[in-house]
Amino acid sequence: MDIKIYVCHHKEGLIARNQYFEPIQVGRAISNHVLDGMIGDDTGDNISHKNREWCELTGLYWIWKNTNHDYVGLNHYRRYLNFAGGDRNSTLYIEKKVDITQYLSAGIEETCRQNPIVLSPLVNVHPTSSPGNTMTVYNHYCYNHYKKDLDIALSVIKNKAPEYYEFMIISMNLEMSVFGNIFVMRRDLFNEYCSFLFSVLFSVEEVLDTTHYDDYQKRVYGFLAERFLYAFVLKHKLLEKSNNIIHAGLIIYTDFEPEYNYKQIMAQISSRSVRKVAHPHAEDVHIVVSFDDGYIKQALVSIYSVIKNTSDASRLRFHVLHDEKLSPVTRDFLCNKFKEVKFDFYAIEDDYIFTVYPHNREHINRNTYYRLFMHECLPQSVKRLIYMDLDTLVCDDIITLWNMDMDGKTLAGCNDEGGVSQSRRLFGLNWNKSYINAGVLLFNREQAVRKYKNLRFLYLESFLKNMKNLTLQDQDIINIAYKDDIKILPLRWNVGSRVYSSSELEAAYPKSVAAAAVHNPALIHFTGENKPWKPDAAHPMTELYLAYQAKAFAYQTPQTQSVESVA
């Protein structure tokens, strides 16, 4: 059988090639760099120059017009159909640079012989990271892209390809579909699909004005094509009552973990020296934290790291938000252990609001919402503050963070590791690049109260108006509340776990910024469940954390108890 699956590339990546797989550079006509070792979509009959708007479809068009295989398909350089029968309709993520071509090829001939159409997994339609909020294909498109574009396409189909219209509107009202324009088809079906697809899109292109679209929305033709594919499949499935159309599994190569020299990075961090400078008349640096007796060991490490790396620890004032699970014994222990800094404790009363806000992640407890009440607890004299989670390790002088200019914004923080994806989930078409991680915040409390009045109302409204798409609890609420009032801080002040590894989520910062933060972190945030104090910890900075932990536990005056006696 002559089966050829073309693998689209637009940048450097792992190349899969054998008798079935053929890499192709899409958009080569407008690329500044020719990728070696593969064909381009800029020869013969082609639309390569349209790639910025048409994405992988420029490759698909080239395949349609310039090849004649018995079976033909499209994969991406990071996404491959998996022909292993036991993995059907499932997705497997791979983080290593391994050649899986032979594995992928093992069942391909038998699968194609029995199935004239092989698709990627059929999945529920929902915003990114919000699987509970299923929606129709139509509503999902309108949430993420411009509604008028889809309506124009539907009108074109209704008038110029009416034989597909019923199946198009049926598919638009389903809550599941296929994505990525990934498939393999028998040649006659492939020709039929391409004839339908490109005739419609060329007609849409004649009337669609994308002049003012950003780079993401300009990819409109690729986005539309994703929705056309399943409508085409439904036509054959329903009219022909065909059961030999299958959903194969999908193998996704994530962005490979960078090859950093972590030993060297940790050694450089450990060797940093802080010049102790006395500032007898300098203002207090207000740091808000929250923990209970069950988290005292982690709190000690984080607080110790702040003190160790601060030029003037006498300026540090920790404001601890807590409930009854933080005992008086633990509070006294903390004050005695770190006598060079000041501690204030604020009991958070039981409030019905904690039953209203969601608790949808097992490793998150009620304390995470206490940061939404810090403006109410602290005295009026505290006009500016730093909020800090305690799964953190501070590696630089926190007074540097305290002194940062907020450029008139009420809130400042670092871009979240998946900030673009999370912003699109929350805001749809109105997303921006200011979705921050709420684990480290610089907060102008005085301005917030003056500008927004009742912050309790602000947070509750932000939650209730967006609750269907809210999955990251207080972090989502904060980003909604201050959406256009956030200053982005250098990433080194909140280096989360995904910065060190791969992720399907899209970050707002380039890889060069991530690499600089990894090499020179000011604050390492052990986000997610891969915590360095766990026995099976795999975080690359675990060794540094454990070194700080040992020093923090040993750091005591003659009056201080050992940590084991209270933990």
Side-chain angles (χ1 to χ4, degrees), residues 280-515:
H281 302 296
E283 64 178 349
D284 283 347
V285 175
H286 299 284
I287 304 172
V288 179
V289 297
S290 180
F291 63 97
D292 55 31
D293 285 1
Y295 214 72
I296 180 60
K297 290 186 178 182
Q298 291 78 9
L300 289 179
V301 177
S302 190
I303 292 170
Y304 167 77
S305 72
V306 175
I307 295 171
K308 176 185 182 298
N309 292 295
T310 301
S311 57
D312 184 5
S314 66
R315 292 179 59 186
L316 301 177
R317 180 178 288 274
F318 287 90
H319 302 269
V320 182
L321 310 181
H322 68 91
D323 52 30
E324 71 282 354
K325 294 192 292 295
L326 183 67
S327 67
V329 172
T330 300
R331 280 178 264 164
D332 291 342
F333 164 77
L334 192 66
C335 294
N336 288 328
K337 186 174 185 67
F338 300 119
K339 289 187 174 182
E340 62 268 67
V341 301
K342 297 174 279 289
F343 288 96
D344 296 300
F345 297 88
Y346 307 85
I348 303 293
E349 301 296 331
D350 191 21
D351 193 311
Y352 86 91
I353 202 71
F354 297 121
T355 65
V356 174
Y357 286 140
H359 295 266
N360 55 339
R361 290 186 293 165
E362 291 184 4
H363 64 289
I364 301 297
N365 59 27
R366 197 178 85 170
N367 289 62
T368 193
Y369 288 113
Y370 290 173
R371 76 195 77 192
L372 302 183
F373 294 84
M374 57 190 179
H375 66 282
E376 296 180 357
C377 301
L378 275 59
Q380 296 295 318
S381 57
V382 180
K383 299 179 179 180
R384 179 184 175 103
L385 58 88
I386 294 171
Y387 177 87
M388 189 177 76
D389 282 348
L390 293 175
D391 54 350
T392 55
L393 204 61
V394 177
C395 308
D396 206 339
D397 192 341
I398 204 164
I399 296 177
T400 303
L401 175 61
W402 176 260
N403 290 334
M404 284 188 180
D405 189 350
M406 296 178 67
D407 296 335
K409 302 295 187 181
T410 300
L411 190 71
C414 300
N415 273 314
D416 186 71
E417 305 149 312
V420 171
S421 299
Q422 305 296 6
S423 184
R424 287 197 181 113
R425 166 178 57 83
L426 282 183
F427 305 120
L429 274 172
N430 297 314
W431 74 279
N432 60 25
K433 292 188 176 182
S434 297
Y435 183 96
I436 58 173
N437 183 281
V440 181
L441 301 171
L442 190 55
F443 184 49
N444 188 330
R445 175 179 180 265
E446 182 182 44
Q447 178 171 303
V449 174
R450 183 178 67 250
K451 186 173 182 178
Y452 299 98
K453 310 305 181 189
N454 192 317
L455 298 189
R456 181 185 174 102
F457 291 173
L458 173 68
Y459 297 142
L460 185 58
E461 288 172 352
S462 297
F463 162 59
L464 292 175
K465 291 177 181 178
N466 299 272
M467 59 191 303
K468 288 185 69 176
N469 289 333
L470 192 145
T471 61
L472 296 180
Q473 300 172 302
D474 54 294
Q475 179 168 291
D476 280 349
I477 293 171
I478 287 170
N479 275 279
I480 295 166
Y482 299 104
K483 179 173 184 284
D484 299 312
D485 198 10
I486 296 174
K487 164 70 180 295
I488 301 299
L489 299 176
L491 185 63
R492 66 186 298 263
W493 280 101
N494 192 346
V495 188
S497 297
R498 282 199 182 99
V499 180
Y500 295 92
S501 61
S502 58
S503 174
E504 272 296 286
L505 298 178
E506 183 180 353
Y509 47 80
K511 290 183 179 180
S512 58
V513 170

